[in-house]
Amino acid sequence: MTPVESLTGPHSRHPLEERPACRAPQPIVEIDRLSLYYGDKPAFQDVTLSINKGCMTALVGPSGCGKTSFLTCLNRLTDLIAGCRVSGQITINALDVLAPGINVIQLRRRIGMIFQKPNPFPLTIRRNLEFPLREHGIRDREQITQIIETTLRAVGLWDEVKDRLGSPALALSGGQQQRLCIARALALLPEVLLMDEPCSALDPLSSGVVEDLIVGLRGRYTILIVTHNLAQARRIADYAALFWVQNGAGRLIEAGTAKQIFENPRDPLTAAYVSGMRG
Amino acid sequence: MTPVESLTGPHSRHPLEERPACRAPQPIVEIDRLSLYYGDKPAFQDVTLSINKGCMTALVGPSGCGKTSFLTCLNRLTDLIAGCRVSGQITINALDVLAPGINVIQLRRRIGMIFQKPNPFPLTIRRNLEFPLREHGIRDREQITQIIETTLRAVGLWDEVKDRLGSPALALSGGQQQRLCIARALALLPEVLLMDEPCSALDPLSSGVVEDLIVGLRGRYTILIVTHNLAQARRIADYAALFWVQNGAGRLIEAGTAKQIFENPRDPLTAAYVSGMRG
Amino acid sequence: MTSLSNNTLSRWSTDELLCWSLRGIATIAGTIVMLIVVFLIVEALPVLHHVGLLRFFTDPSWHPAEGLYNLTPMLWGTLFAMTGSVLIATPLGILSAVFCHYYAPSVLARPYRRLIELLAGVPSVVYGFWGLVVLVPLIAEIQPPGPSLLAGILILTIMILPTIALMADASLANVPQQYLRGAAALGLPRWATIRGVVFPAVRSGLFTGVILETGRAIGETMAILMVCGNVVQIPSTIFDPIRTLTANIALEMAYAIGDHRAALFVSGLVLLAMIVALVVSAEWVSRGRMYG
Amino acid sequence: MAETLSRPQNLREWLAFVLVWGAAGLVTAVFCWLLGDIVWHGIGHVSWTFLTAPPENAGRQGGIGPILASTSLILGVCLAVSLPIGIGTAVLLAEFTSDQSLFGRITRRSLDILAGVPSIVFGLFGNAFFCKMLGLGFSILSGGLTLACMVLPVLIRSTEEGFRAVPASYRLSAAALGLSRTTTLIHLLLPAAVPGLLVGLVLGVGRAIAETAALIFTSGYVDRMPESLLDSGRALSIHIFDLSMNVSGGDTNAYASALILVIMLLAINGTVSWLATYGLHRKIMTV
Amino acid sequence: TAQTFSAEQLSGKLVITGASTLAPLIAEIGKRFESHYPKVRVDVQTGGSSRGVADVRQGFADIGMVSRAMKAEEKDLHAFSVARDGVGVILHKENPVQALTDEQVVAIYTGKIINWKDVGGKDAPITVVNKAEGRSTLEVFLHYFKIRNTDVKAHVVIGDNEQGIKTVAGNRHAIGYVSIGTAEYDESQGVPIKLLSVGGVAASTETVRNGTFPISRPLHIVTRTPPVGLTKAFIDYAQSKAVHDIIKQQYFVPMVD
Ligand SMILES: Nc1ncnc2c1ncn2[C@@H]1O[C@H](COP(=O)(O)OP(=O)(O)OP(=O)(O)O)[C@@H](O)[C@H]1O
Ligand SMILES: Nc1ncnc2c1ncn2[C@@H]1O[C@H](COP(=O)(O)OP(=O)(O)OP(=O)(O)O)[C@@H](O)[C@H]1O
Ligand SMILES: [Mg+2]
Ligand SMILES: [Mg+2]
């Protein structure tokens, strides 16, 4: 049993669409001529890309090319940044993400996000998971306990923390914290998972565990992962996209299947990047 | 010319001992039965190790095994941590580091340290370099300007920042910040450089640049580098040491030449770690 | 800084409700200022009508019972007392906070902080009383009459010290550890670290502290009234007595009628104008960057 | 962190060392002088009856029972009104308003101005507005409301600093989980901003409890035990002022009252920081 | 007199505002009044004579306290004197000067004499303590010595009596003038001040009472309309002999014996 199969068990609290494997490319997120400006300065411009359902898409590129900024457009975290302006179009499952009137709270629930630096709340381990659930209307104690166990099992943390759910989450090690954050996102049953370099702040042991976990999620969730680790991208991604800074703004240089990008890059920049880098 | 050769030029402001290359093993740092406790909790125990002059020694091991704590003993940064207790013995160039009465300020000047997260001060780029120099008694404006240029060239930052030395250092990119921190340490002409995962917070491009820089320093400085990146350790280190957590405290499992540790580990733990990890 | 201001799109009514009720609440603060200004103007209007604003700066002296209304010496008195005390209290307060964080052993830091908190709550009459019976006679020994600008500055200094000290203390607590460790690793000694790294990092908090303490220094009434001598004159030495605008109001309001009373409200208006000038120049100095 | 053991290395460090210790010593000395004076003159008169009995012969004899009650009520009203407004405004300024926005700037400037308004002006204003216009008369309510206006700036400013010190990652991760701003605020930001709030509270309580000029015209001079918030009640600081400045022979009781006031303040500050450390530890689990 | 009302007949709240000098006295009288009439409450507030006048005029207070003679423009109010208060000149106890003529006082206050040696004291500059504009003590003092306030060369300006006493007690070369009752009490308590005689008459509550001391002021309570009911009862009570002990206790002089 992969860690995630257990998720579909007692956890399926409302009828879930069958989680799709990544076979026939079927776009779920469509991004059209997306640009983002911080004040007057563009972070990236004119990105057009579609993300396929159930697939793992890796975003790679040098620092500052706008990868993080790109992710934050998808769940409208950009709303939190003063002076940040987004233009273009994003549709997720036919929902116009950038429309002014949409329910951002619901949108963000459907799109989970994992940050580079593990950021559990300064609460107990249990409260970290319980608190968002309650917010989203799940009040039943037993159901919550159930979900907490299931998700913690899914991220392989259950055995490590089951005896100290009441202790502070910040006392966990980095890798444990990151897995807790993933569990926290999974508990809300998102349709799309955004991961911003989820392993880069971890040591290799923890990083390995988290990577195993992500691999386990593959085919179950639609995942968009930013990574610096090209070897990792190569190992786990179905699709890949390369960003690069040109004329002071990030651009999408090339996108395609991981195989094609890494083995047969069309753009000379891509070729240079995937070959020349150290891993 | 490697970046560092230029350091010996106009920069040699007081008679320097010839910087030693790493050939005949000649210990410069001797650590004897060193243990460190945070309150009652041991971070690591009973570490005995010697570091050879002019060589690059890599410290590897899983998270929490006490690598950072170990480094902070060497320049007595442990003094800053309330409740931190160190026992054992450290001698650097015949100086008893842990003796209560030593001049910590001078000690730290002789031992440079680079942190995982780049930590330039919230000052201008120029002030970041000028300020420690002034504090260490170098007042002459021209000499300072000279040193700033030399060290910035040494870390390959000169061309990138020479026109904006007056702008805030925090506006630099991560990689640039880290190189600035290295320049800041080099400007004080340290005998030993401690580096705590200097590349792990950087993207591969910057990481590559910083690694090149570190390789360039090899043989010129005695360097102790903590890294998660085994491939990196393998590429650049002369010696390697593996820490591991046993019975709740870090221990030194094995130390030797990098070649021996990576290709012919004696301890089964070492073998597992160097082979099983992802890079 | 992140701000949630652009997120007005969420359909969550609680959020909207929260935002709007917060705005309502914040408006109260602004409204109070407006009310006070309006109140002062309404009360001052009769005398402004009779004698005009200009004469408050050109009359030969302040003898409202005889129709003379010059406020200029008191304006200077207020300025001198404020400047003097802020100049002494700011370094003392910041050094106190530095002491708590970087110099004092922890057994001393805690009681010292408590002590400063206490100083913040001693009533101004107690300061004034103490100044009157202890400080003023001491000064009178050096240079009569005793009640003087110097006494005012000293008492004000003690009174505003806790404000800046506690604000600085709170700011210092937020200095990222990485700066301190970075500085220590470079072999920077303690004071160099504080001066070169810590102070630049806490500018904003210190600035807020200075604004608050200055406001308090301008506004202090009772203690200053008891130790300053209250003679309406521009002091030529710090041993000369002065009268501040606040003392003027407190001293004469109780027995003033008619134009005299209204003239005291003009003192209040002038004081308010001074504060506005201070706030505006502070804004100009910081150019909006300090609050970030 | 205090590296208390390392000795200063050069002249400048020595100078700074001497200066810092000197400053702390000076402040402590002045404080001890002041407090010693109060304790020396006042301690002999403090007794249980002094705390509970009503004042007699204009305060020369008797105790301060009703005055303590009035003072607590005034402080209570002041905090009950200023805390919600203060925290609300601080939240708005720190979380919902960008530094550049007009609304934020105006509010912030207004507060700075309010911080400088002299307490006597507050008193006259409170008398005109609360006592007369709103018809509350000389009452504890008027006094508390006037004080609330007075302590707002200090409360708001330091609470705002508290919110600014909360890491941005809390806000981002909460938003990414689809938590509403209200929830984020109540459960994450507010507890994390408590240290700043506490500084504001300590300064605010200090200012409120020490206030004289603003209260003479609002909460009044009556030293009877208050029966409701609409009764006039004399605050401790007014009592001290009256005894030392207006009633000949009141000095010793003035000292005793000042001593009680200082003790009261100590108790309040102690309780506040105890609540903060222990109450907070249950809520926020930083390690 | 007050006894014309029975304890049951009177009830209600009486708000009295005005001069802070009078407030402790009226508050004590109020307390005794309350003890006779349990259903009555007397609230005494301070804020100064002008506030008392203003509050009574606006109907915000039932009775005002005014610590000076009534002015011409206050003829619309009904004033009732409750006590007298003398104003005496004080020096520091260690000052060797024993008496000053009226001319010397005028010369000192107008800055014509600035050293004690010119009036028979030590060689030391004189510190002149004056009262703030508008205070009745000031008006009475200036009136008696026929000085214009603009001519006074003061070194310290004070508000309340106690501030004056503490200022003079803290400065060996100071001269000031304060309420005689207060000064007499403080002198008896060992505060280092002394009262000077004025025009040859010793300054004491006794000479104020028998009318020989030349500088004194009446202490008034005022109403807007002719007092009736509770207000009248209180005013009658405050003017009756029954409160003379309280008046003396507060160091003022009763109007009639
Ligand atoms: N809040 C912000 N305000 C202004 N500029 C910003 C902000 N956040 C990011 N930027 C700028 O936008 C550009 C893109 O940043 P972004 O963080 O998206 O890059 P990234 O690809 O995620 O880089 P990294 O690999 O270092 O995380 C950079 O130049 C950055 O300096
Ligand atoms: N200031 C401190 N107080 C108490 N315990 C600490 C402190 N710093 C570190 N520790 C603990 O000491 C142990 C060793 O920590 P250290 O940071 O040295 O490990 P590390 O090998 O550097 O790990 P990483 O690779 O994650 O940086 C850990 O268990 C850690 O939780
Ligand atoms: Mg990023
Ligand atoms: Mg570490």
Side-chain angles (χ1 to χ4, degrees):
Chain A
M1 173 172 103
T2 73
V4 178
E5 271 172 359
S6 59
L7 267 181
T8 49
H11 191 235
S12 52
R13 51 191 189 271
H14 52 68
L16 264 178
E17 51 172 330
E18 174 95 319
R19 295 215 169 265
C22 178
R23 261 173 247 118
Q26 183 196 348
I28 179 172
V29 183
E30 304 252 26
I31 295 135
D32 192 25
R33 270 165 300 133
L34 192 70
S35 306
L36 184 147
Y37 298 80
Y38 292 115
D40 295 333
K41 202 177 145 279
F44 62 83
Q45 279 177 324
D46 254 343
V47 173
T48 302
L49 183 67
S50 54
I51 312 288
N52 289 328
K53 200 167 188 166
C55 300
M56 165 109 55
T57 307
L59 250 51
V60 296
S63 187
C65 65
K67 306 181 297 290
T68 301
S69 306
F70 179 75
L71 288 193
T72 55
C73 291
L74 300 183
N75 64 351
R76 290 269 296 263
L77 274 194
T78 43
D79 288 3
L80 300 197
I81 298 161
C84 174
R85 200 158 45 78
V86 183
S87 68
Q89 177 132 43
I90 306 174
T91 29
I92 297 184
N93 253 348
L95 174 76
D96 180 2
V97 171
L98 297 179
I102 70 151
N103 185 333
V104 191
I105 305 287
Q106 273 310 315
L107 171 76
R108 294 193 187 135
R109 180 185 173 163
R110 286 166 57 187
I111 303 184
M113 181 156 182
I114 313 296
F115 295 82
Q116 174 169 18
K117 208 167 149 252
N119 55 0
F121 298 131
L123 309 169
T124 62
I125 298 174
R126 157 180 272 280
R127 284 276 297 153
N128 256 283
L129 292 160
E130 186 181 343
F131 172 45
L133 284 172
R134 281 187 178 274
E135 261 304 288
H136 286 290
I138 298 162
R139 291 280 146 78
D140 185 60
R141 284 204 142 270
E142 233 165 73
Q143 197 186 352
I144 288 179
T145 312
Q146 191 60 257
I147 296 175
I148 289 177
E149 181 174 342
T150 323
T151 47
L152 283 180
R153 274 191 200 284
V155 299
L157 210 54
W158 178 250
D159 292 327
E160 292 168 49
V161 303
K162 67 167 178 277
D163 302 323
R164 46 177 181 140
L165 290 177
S167 62
L170 293 180
L172 293 175
S173 79
Q176 289 173 327
Q177 288 188 15
Q178 193 62 296
R179 282 182 286 155
L180 180 65
C181 290
I182 297 178
R184 196 171 63 177
L186 291 185
L188 297 177
L189 297 175
E191 294 161 30
V192 179
L193 265 182
L194 310 176
M195 299 189 160
D196 191 4
E197 308 179 24
C199 302
S200 78
L202 306 177
D203 69 297
L205 267 187
S206 321
S207 169
V209 175
V210 173
E211 188 181 316
D212 281 344
L213 164 62
I214 295 172
V215 171
L217 299 176
R218 192 166 106 172
R220 299 271 153 192
Y221 291 83
T222 307
I223 297 179
L224 199 54
I225 184 170
V226 170
T227 176
H228 277 145
N229 190 326
L230 290 180
Q232 189 186 57
R234 200 169 205 152
R235 272 196 304 274
I236 64 176
D238 302 309
Y239 293 90
L242 176 78
F243 279 61
W244 201 272
V245 183
Q246 285 179 329
N247 306 327
R251 312 247 164 202
L252 176 63
I253 300 296
E254 190 171 358
T257 62
K259 203 173 153 67
Q260 179 247 309
I261 293 281
F262 287 108
E263 288 169 14
N264 192 16
R266 284 197 205 105
D267 195 282
L269 266 176
T270 319
Y273 190 75
V274 298
S275 65
M277 291 309 97
R278 295 143 198 274
Chain B
M1 175 171 101
T2 72
V4 178
E5 273 172 356
S6 59
L7 266 181
T8 48
H11 191 235
S12 50
R13 50 189 188 273
H14 51 71
L16 265 177
E17 51 173 331
E18 174 97 315
R19 296 214 169 267
C22 177
R23 261 174 247 119
Q26 181 197 353
I28 177 173
V29 183
E30 305 251 26
I31 295 136
D32 191 26
R33 270 165 300 134
L34 192 70
S35 306
L36 184 147
Y37 298 80
Y38 292 116
D40 295 333
K41 202 177 144 282
F44 62 83
Q45 279 178 324
D46 254 343
V47 172
T48 301
L49 183 68
S50 54
I51 312 288
N52 289 327
K53 199 166 188 167
C55 300
M56 165 111 53
T57 308
L59 250 52
V60 297
S63 188
C65 66
K67 305 181 296 294
T68 301
S69 306
F70 179 74
L71 288 193
T72 55
C73 292
L74 299 184
N75 63 352
R76 290 270 296 263
L77 273 195
T78 42
D79 289 5
L80 301 196
I81 300 162
C84 175
R85 198 158 47 76
V86 183
S87 67
Q89 178 131 40
I90 306 174
T91 28
I92 297 185
N93 253 349
L95 175 77
D96 180 2
V97 171
L98 297 179
I102 69 151
N103 186 335
V104 192
I105 305 291
Q106 273 310 316
L107 171 76
R108 292 193 188 136
R109 181 187 173 163
R110 287 167 55 186
I111 303 183
M113 181 156 182
I114 314 296
F115 296 84
Q116 173 169 20
K117 207 166 150 252
N119 59 355
F121 299 133
L123 309 170
T124 62
I125 298 173
R126 159 180 272 280
R127 283 281 296 156
N128 257 284
L129 292 160
E130 184 181 347
F131 168 53
L133 284 172
R134 279 187 177 275
E135 279 307 318
H136 285 291
I138 299 161
R139 290 283 145 76
D140 184 60
R141 284 204 141 269
E142 234 167 71
Q143 196 185 355
I144 289 179
T145 312
Q146 191 60 260
I147 297 175
I148 290 178
E149 180 173 344
T150 323
T151 47
L152 283 181
R153 274 191 200 285
V155 298
L157 210 56
W158 178 249
D159 292 326
E160 293 167 50
V161 303
K162 65 168 180 280
D163 302 324
R164 48 179 181 138
L165 289 177
S167 62
L170 293 179
L172 294 175
S173 80
Q176 289 172 326
Q177 289 188 12
Q178 192 63 297
R179 280 182 287 156
L180 180 65
C181 292
I182 297 178
R184 198 171 60 179
L186 292 184
L188 298 178
L189 298 176
E191 295 162 28
V192 179
L193 265 182
L194 310 176
M195 300 190 158
D196 192 4
E197 307 179 24
C199 303
S200 78
L202 306 178
D203 69 295
L205 267 188
S206 321
S207 169
V209 175
V210 173
E211 188 181 316
D212 281 344
L213 165 62
I214 296 172
V215 170
L217 300 176
R218 192 166 106 174
R220 301 270 153 191
Y221 290 84
T222 307
I223 297 179
L224 198 55
I225 184 169
V226 170
T227 175
H228 277 147
N229 190 327
L230 291 180
Q232 190 186 56
R234 201 169 204 152
R235 270 197 303 274
I236 65 177
D238 302 308
Y239 293 90
L242 176 78
F243 279 63
W244 202 273
V245 182
Q246 283 179 330
N247 306 325
R251 312 247 164 203
L252 176 64
I253 300 296
E254 191 172 353
T257 62
K259 201 173 156 67
Q260 180 248 310
I261 294 281
F262 287 108
E263 288 170 13
N264 192 15
R266 287 197 203 105
D267 195 284
L269 264 176
T270 319
Y273 190 75
V274 297
S275 65
M277 291 308 97
R278 295 143 195 274
Chain C
M1 191 208 83
T2 61
S3 136
L4 305 175
S5 59
N6 301 351
N7 191 2
T8 44
L9 312 167
S10 125
R11 260 194 265 128
W12 267 57
S13 54
T14 47
D15 280 359
E16 299 231 307
L17 208 70
L18 178 78
C19 192
W20 282 108
S21 46
L22 287 181
R23 271 171 201 218
I25 286 173
T27 313
I28 295 180
T31 316
I32 295 172
V33 178
M34 287 304 298
L35 280 175
I36 289 181
V37 174
V38 168
F39 163 72
L40 285 177
I41 291 178
V42 166
E43 294 279 359
L45 220 47
V47 73
L48 288 178
H49 220 74
H50 296 163
V51 304
L53 189 59
L54 198 63
R55 274 191 46 204
F56 283 91
F57 302 97
T58 57
D59 269 0
S61 65
W62 169 262
H63 283 105
E66 290 158 46
L68 300 172
Y69 297 107
N70 189 6
L71 287 175
T72 328
M74 295 181 251
L75 202 63
W76 283 110
T78 302
L79 265 179
F80 286 139
M82 174 202 93
T83 314
S85 58
V86 167
L87 283 184
I88 305 178
T90 306
L92 266 185
I94 293 176
L95 287 181
S96 286
V98 166
F99 175 76
C100 276
H101 279 275
Y102 303 111
Y103 282 83
S106 51
V107 279
L108 275 189
R110 219 165 210 289
Y112 187 75
R113 195 168 288 136
R114 205 31 60 73
L115 179 148
I116 295 207
E117 287 174 5
L118 263 191
L119 275 180
V122 175
S124 46
V125 296
V126 173
Y127 284 113
F129 187 75
W130 182 76
L132 188 59
V133 301
V134 177
L135 206 58
V136 167
L138 274 182
I139 295 174
E141 289 297 313
I142 305 169
Q143 170 92 51
S148 54
L149 175 59
L150 178 63
I153 288 178
L154 292 181
I155 286 293
L156 269 189
T157 301
I158 307 177
M159 298 188 67
I160 63 178
L161 184 95
T163 311
I164 179 75
L166 290 181
M167 284 304 292
D169 186 73
S171 310
L172 290 185
N174 291 332
V175 173
Q177 275 292 320
Q178 46 166 346
Y179 291 162
L180 302 177
R181 285 204 288 149
L186 284 169
L188 296 184
R190 200 169 352 178
W191 179 249
T193 308
I194 293 165
R195 190 177 52 92
V197 181
V198 173
F199 285 164
V202 297
R203 269 197 320 250
S204 141
L206 296 186
F207 189 72
T208 309
V210 172
I211 288 283
L212 286 178
E213 72 167 342
T214 311
R216 180 110 207 248
I218 294 183
E220 182 45 46
T221 312
M222 285 309 188
I224 212 85
L225 182 157
M226 288 155 106
V227 301
C228 270
N230 302 318
V231 178
V232 185
Q233 62 178 13
I234 298 175
S236 47
T237 73
I238 53 169
F239 292 106
D240 283 350
I242 55 149
R243 184 186 293 192
T244 65
L245 288 165
T246 48
N248 191 38
I249 304 175
L251 205 56
E252 301 192 354
M253 184 59 85
Y255 298 89
I257 44 172
D259 274 358
H260 183 189
R261 181 178 145 86
L264 294 178
F265 281 97
V266 178
S267 309
L269 273 180
V270 171
L271 200 63
L272 211 62
M274 252 181 86
I275 296 161
V276 171
L278 177 89
V279 167
V280 168
S281 52
E283 161 120 28
W284 183 76
V285 167
S286 70
R287 288 185 197 89
R289 275 183 288 126
M290 288 296 195
Y291 293 109
Chain D
M1 75 123 216
E3 206 179 354
T4 36
L5 295 177
S6 79
R7 288 271 184 75
Q9 299 292 328
N10 58 32
L11 188 67
R12 177 128 47 76
E13 290 296 314
W14 265 113
L15 228 68
F17 184 85
V18 171
L19 215 65
V20 170
W21 276 91
L26 185 69
V27 172
T28 315
V30 169
F31 179 81
C32 290
W33 189 0
L34 187 90
L35 199 73
D37 214 44
I38 297 174
V39 173
W40 176 252
H41 289 102
I43 192 87
H45 288 257
V46 175
S47 65
W48 183 246
T49 30
F50 181 73
L51 287 179
T52 51
E56 283 164 28
N57 189 11
R60 292 181 188 89
Q61 280 114 38
I64 53 169
I67 290 162
L68 277 182
S70 303
T71 309
S72 319
L73 286 177
I74 293 170
L75 197 61
V77 170
C78 163
L79 290 183
V81 173
S82 61
L83 273 182
I85 297 182
I87 295 175
T89 310
V91 167
L92 187 86
L93 288 181
E95 303 290 329
F96 290 83
T97 320
S98 80
D99 287 349
Q100 275 73 43
S101 85
L102 191 67
F103 184 83
R105 284 160 72 113
I106 291 181
T107 313
R108 228 177 246 121
R109 289 315 145 251
S110 306
L111 287 171
D112 288 346
I113 293 170
L114 205 58
V117 172
S119 48
I120 177 119
V121 170
F122 272 109
L124 296 171
F125 164 74
N127 183 268
F129 186 70
F130 295 117
C131 300
K132 292 186 176 157
M133 230 167 105
L134 298 187
L136 298 175
F138 283 102
S139 63
I140 286 169
L141 205 55
S142 308
L145 290 173
T146 308
L147 280 192
C149 299
M150 249 182 76
V151 300
L152 265 186
V154 121
L155 201 60
I156 293 173
R157 264 329 194 60
S158 37
T159 310
E160 194 192 337
E161 290 286 327
F163 275 102
R164 287 182 188 280
V166 179
S169 71
Y170 287 13
R171 300 177 181 94
L172 284 179
S173 53
L177 284 169
L179 303 185
S180 69
R181 285 176 294 172
T182 318
T183 318
T184 313
L185 188 69
I186 295 173
H187 292 278
L188 291 173
L189 303 183
L190 208 53
V194 161
L197 177 66
L198 285 185
V199 177
L201 201 61
V202 165
L203 282 174
V205 166
R207 188 146 188 213
I209 209 169
E211 187 44 46
T212 319
L215 288 180
I216 286 185
F217 299 107
T218 51
S219 71
Y221 185 76
V222 172
D223 57 6
R224 200 185 300 113
M225 184 62 90
E227 280 155 14
S228 81
L229 292 182
L230 288 173
D231 278 355
S232 168
R234 191 191 291 188
L236 202 47
S237 52
I238 294 187
H239 192 56
I240 298 170
F241 180 71
D242 195 52
L243 285 179
S244 59
M245 286 291 118
N246 198 33
V247 173
S248 47
D251 284 3
T252 41
N253 268 357
Y255 274 118
S257 306
L259 182 59
I260 297 296
L261 189 118
V262 168
I263 293 172
M264 206 166 140
L265 198 68
L266 253 181
I268 294 176
N269 287 354
T271 317
V272 162
S273 60
W274 183 83
L275 276 181
T277 29
Y278 289 84
L280 207 64
H281 199 72
R282 296 175 56 93
K283 181 113 189 121
I284 279 268
M285 316 278 287
T286 45
V287 256
Chain E
T1 65
Q3 265 57 43
T4 50
F5 299 94
S6 82
E8 303 307 310
Q9 275 172 293
L10 284 178
S11 65
K13 183 163 132 183
L14 209 52
V15 175
I16 306 176
T17 74
S20 53
T21 330
L22 260 169
L25 171 64
I26 301 294
E28 285 303 314
I29 294 177
K31 275 185 198 162
R32 188 174 291 176
F33 190 67
E34 283 173 356
S35 69
H36 291 306
Y37 303 101
K39 290 190 195 159
V40 171
R41 280 187 30 201
V42 181
D43 278 6
V44 177
Q45 309 292 356
T46 64
S49 299
S50 56
R51 157 135 262 133
V53 169
D55 283 350
V56 164
R57 279 198 178 128
Q58 290 172 9
F60 189 65
D62 305 296
I63 300 176
M65 301 176 283
V66 181
S67 58
R68 54 171 160 75
M70 301 305 291
K71 297 199 160 137
E73 63 267 33
E74 289 163 358
K75 286 285 179 269
D76 56 320
L77 301 176
H78 302 262
F80 307 87
S81 45
V82 288
R84 292 195 74 76
D85 183 24
V87 176
V89 177
I90 55 170
L91 302 180
H92 193 275
K93 194 172 204 115
E94 289 170 22
N95 196 326
V97 174
Q98 292 305 328
L100 289 172
T101 64
D102 286 5
E103 291 71 34
Q104 284 175 324
V105 172
V106 171
I108 288 173
Y109 267 84
T110 52
K112 297 201 178 70
I113 295 177
I114 55 168
N115 198 304
W116 282 115
K117 69 173 192 257
D118 295 337
V119 291
K122 282 187 262 181
D123 180 10
I126 301 176
T127 300
V128 175
V129 180
N130 195 25
K131 281 242 175 184
E133 187 107 348
R135 303 257 165 180
S136 62
T137 339
L138 171 85
E139 285 168 17
V140 173
F141 178 82
L142 294 181
H143 182 257
Y144 173 79
F145 286 103
K146 305 197 174 52
I147 315 175
R148 278 159 49 103
N149 198 20
T150 32
D151 297 332
V152 173
K153 300 275 178 291
H155 299 113
V156 181
V157 175
I158 52 143
D160 293 308
N161 283 320
E162 280 291 318
Q163 189 183 357
I165 288 171
K166 287 184 174 102
T167 303
V168 174
N171 184 336
R172 266 173 286 154
H173 311 302
I175 177 169
Y177 55 91
V178 294
S179 162
I180 286 180
T182 314
E184 221 176 42
Y185 171 81
D186 279 328
E187 209 180 341
S188 73
Q189 293 301 302
V191 177
I193 54 165
K194 63 181 173 197
L195 275 162
L196 293 188
S197 52
V198 172
V201 182
S204 70
T205 39
E206 192 48 47
T207 54
V208 173
R209 184 193 328 242
N210 63 30
T212 49
F213 192 79
I215 320 175
S216 74
R217 56 172 174 169
L219 304 174
H220 286 118
I221 53 182
V222 301
T223 60
R224 187 174 49 162
T225 52
V228 290
L230 177 58
T231 313
K232 178 166 174 41
F234 181 79
I235 292 175
D236 287 346
Y237 186 72
Q239 289 187 308
S240 72
K241 275 208 165 67
V243 298
H244 280 188
D245 60 323
I246 301 182
I247 294 176
K248 285 178 193 154
Q249 215 175 21
Q250 303 300 326
Y251 309 103
F252 295 116
V253 179
M255 289 308 289
V256 282
D257 271 300

